[in-house]
Amino acid sequence: MARKSQKSDKKASRGKPVRRGSTLPAGQLPTREEILKFISEAPQKVGKREISRAFGVKGGARIELKRLLEEMAQEGLISGNRKELRRKGGLPPVTVLEVTGRDDAGDLIARPTVWNDEDGPRPDVLILTHVERDKQTATELSIGDRVLARINQLEEEDVEGFRFEAVPLKRLAREKRRLLGIFRTTHRGGTIQPIDRKALREWPVQQSDIGDASDGDLVRFDLIRKNRFANPQATVLESLGNPDDQRQISLIAVHAHGLPDDFPEGVLTEAEDLAPPDLNGRVDLTDIPLLTIDPPDARDHDDAVHAVPDTDPKNPDGFVVTVAIADVAHYIRPGSKLDREALLRGNSVYFPDRVVPMLPEKISNDLCSLREGEDRPCLAIRMVFDARGEKKSHTFMRAMMRSAAKLSYQEAQAAIDGKPSEKCEPLMETALRPLWAAYAKLSAARDRRGPLELDLPERKILLDQQGRVDRVVIPERLTAHRLIEEFMIQANVAAAQALEEKRSPVVYRIHEPPSKEKLKALRDFLNSLDLKLPPESGLKPAAFNRILESAKELPVPDLVNEVILRSQSQAEYNPLNAGHFGLNLARYAHFTSPIRRYADLLVHRALITAYRLGAGGFPDEEPTKLAAIAKQISEAERRAMAAERETIDRLIAAHLADRIGATFQARISGVTRSGLFVRLRDTGADGFVPASSLDGEFFHHVEEVHAMIGQRSGRSYSLGDNVEVKLVEAIPSAGALRFDMISEPKETRIRLPKGFKVRRQPGRNRRSPRPRR
């Protein structure tokens, strides 16, 4: 019997149901205590069938067992259904938990993501971190993470009041986009109104799933089903406060996209214990007057530049340009907690009121920030350009540098324009004028290269002291901006070339040419304006630039610019090179911003390994993972762009919420069957004009020419049109603005596709009243 018991124990440890073989007289049933113990200790789901097998209940005794289980359910001892039973208030042996906080001792506390109100209050679960094989999983967890865990139910509450302990098995991926909504109290608990404009329904919330949410709060929620056939219910995961407070708006995007905004304790501890750089083998660049030139409100400074005329007689009128980049790879070693967290984030995300950084502040704002007058480790490139601005050679080195000055774009530009500040005055001859002279050569080479020149002004939101929108501006585009941009492009090109020469793996920044489908649609549209796009073979950005130049003579230059922009592919990271179409470059890799982009850190590691520049390079297994990593960081970049755009939409919607009825100048930025998207001229805010609100006649959506065309008048609203609109609704939490069209449709300036007929009716116009029926 002892041997048989041991075999049963082994089966249980493998996760299989225990079949004891009945020692009970025929027809006798297990006791309530035996059933409860079996349910608690079973390593998998337990139903009536598993209990019957375990206790050898057969024949007519199964009916008695069913009655017993029903009685136990009525007495509140068990809950569930015949296929999955559990002790009342119990948890499955393996379940999904969400980490909700820490106790006084610093241990993680979690709660089950699925719970039934009938079982009482949702229990707290203590996460165990001392189990040796699961230490790594436990230490990687932070508040808000979800984890698949093995549950141990204690016979009695421990001294801290916990009835459940959990051993973490696997940290689960965070949701790509979390669910957010406005909580409303009801007599049964509450409901949640999703802020997603595409969601058309509300979700019920049971009382125990409300948490600390109050009526009107913005909440993060999840949808759960109690069983396969039940309607989903919402459970509040976190209350985010008043959605009308503009200071909370960027947090909506943080939570909606699951951006990890808090660093785990282990990551912060590791950042505090980093070793200083080893000076052996580093080139001393501290005597070179390298400058950091950034926006005045820049939060990190990871690149510095210097230029000097080349003294080599074989390179007359040439220049030597040095670009120094913070040596992030020295501090962020592969496989470390800092590295895993940086990869999880992929990049820093910038909002008008805050930044969600890729690296802890200790690194981004201290150790790797190229502060004025302080020595910092760097990875530098020395590039030699000839008199035509063409690069002759490049050299990478690991070095120590000291920034001679931290300048803003405006301060540097003013100095070149004849108004140097006190800081710039001593740097004019040694640093600033040589930089501008070198850029003149590189700019000429750029013009010959012919990158795509789209007119894409960037708007910037300025906040007041209360964190509310003060105004929206379009910063002036200065030569100083173009100078830094071109030097960074040249350094990125050199990094890709150098790694190819060394036959090293590279994570390229690729931008593929427009797809055949998009080119066909673009060509059809341009033909309607008598503009010709060259054949696909050998198509270069310069061809688009010629079309953009020709469009300036037409009434629709904005429309052409918009349609060409929409025809372009999206840039991404990839270990397979496809070139960069927009920049008209055969190879390109991001090297210049490792503080805020993980892709740049990968390129630094590859260069360190390829040039044998010391520690911090690629581990042996890293190149095999690059395809998966490139996909992950490309997705993180798209997530960041969406979060930034949505935050701007919400901030401006909040800013305009008290201007219902006001009129605005706008441009049509999108045309769909359901209506027109418009972008306001002064703020850049996006809004929608429903097709149903275009009164007077029926408007057809003609996709080929990006227009809504009146069936009777033949007049149209087209992509790129300047229009006047009236604000009729603003929903800040959703970033939604709805407008009515004020402007009349215009004479169609585009040749209509074959088959489209306008049924003109003379003597009536769009604003004429409809005849009575």
Side-chain angles (χ1 to χ4, degrees), residues 271 274 331-332 338 359-369:
L274 294 171
Y331 297 105
I332 312 298
L338 283 163
L359 300 173
E361 187 175 355
K362 175 68 175 178
I363 297 173
S364 60
N365 289 0
D366 183 7
L367 298 177
C368 288
S369 185

Side-chain angles (χ1 to χ4, degrees), residues 30 112 527 653 762:
N527 286 340

Side-chain angles (χ1 to χ4, degrees), residues 437-514:
Y439 170 66
K441 309 287 187 183
L442 271 61
S443 179
R446 175 191 173 90
D447 292 342
R448 290 194 301 274
R449 189 176 81 238
L452 187 59
E453 299 286 0
L454 288 168
D455 181 18
L456 302 173
E458 292 188 12
R459 288 173 172 82
K460 184 173 183 178
I461 291 182
L462 301 180
L463 305 178
D464 60 21
Q465 292 183 345
Q466 286 72 44
R468 296 179 177 273
V469 175
D470 180 29
R471 63 188 189 278
V472 180
V473 299
I474 300 177
E476 184 183 2
R477 179 82 166 153
L478 304 171
T479 304
H481 291 99
R482 297 185 178 92
L483 179 150
I484 295 299
E485 179 183 89
E486 188 60 27
F487 284 2
M488 297 304 113
I489 288 174
Q490 292 298 328
N492 290 336
V493 171
Q497 291 174 338
L499 291 173
E500 283 187 0
E501 291 166 0
K502 293 288 185 177
R503 300 184 181 277
S504 168
V506 190
V507 174
Y508 294 95
R509 177 65 168 181
I510 68 169
H511 179 227
E512 298 193 72

Side-chain angles (χ1 to χ4, degrees), residues 15 202 246 258 275 346 375 377 420 551 625 648 668 673 711 767:
E202 297 180 351
Q246 291 189 36
D375 290 358
K625 302 177 182 178
I648 290 173
I668 296 176
R673 174 183 290 183
Q711 177 176 290
R767 295 295 181 183

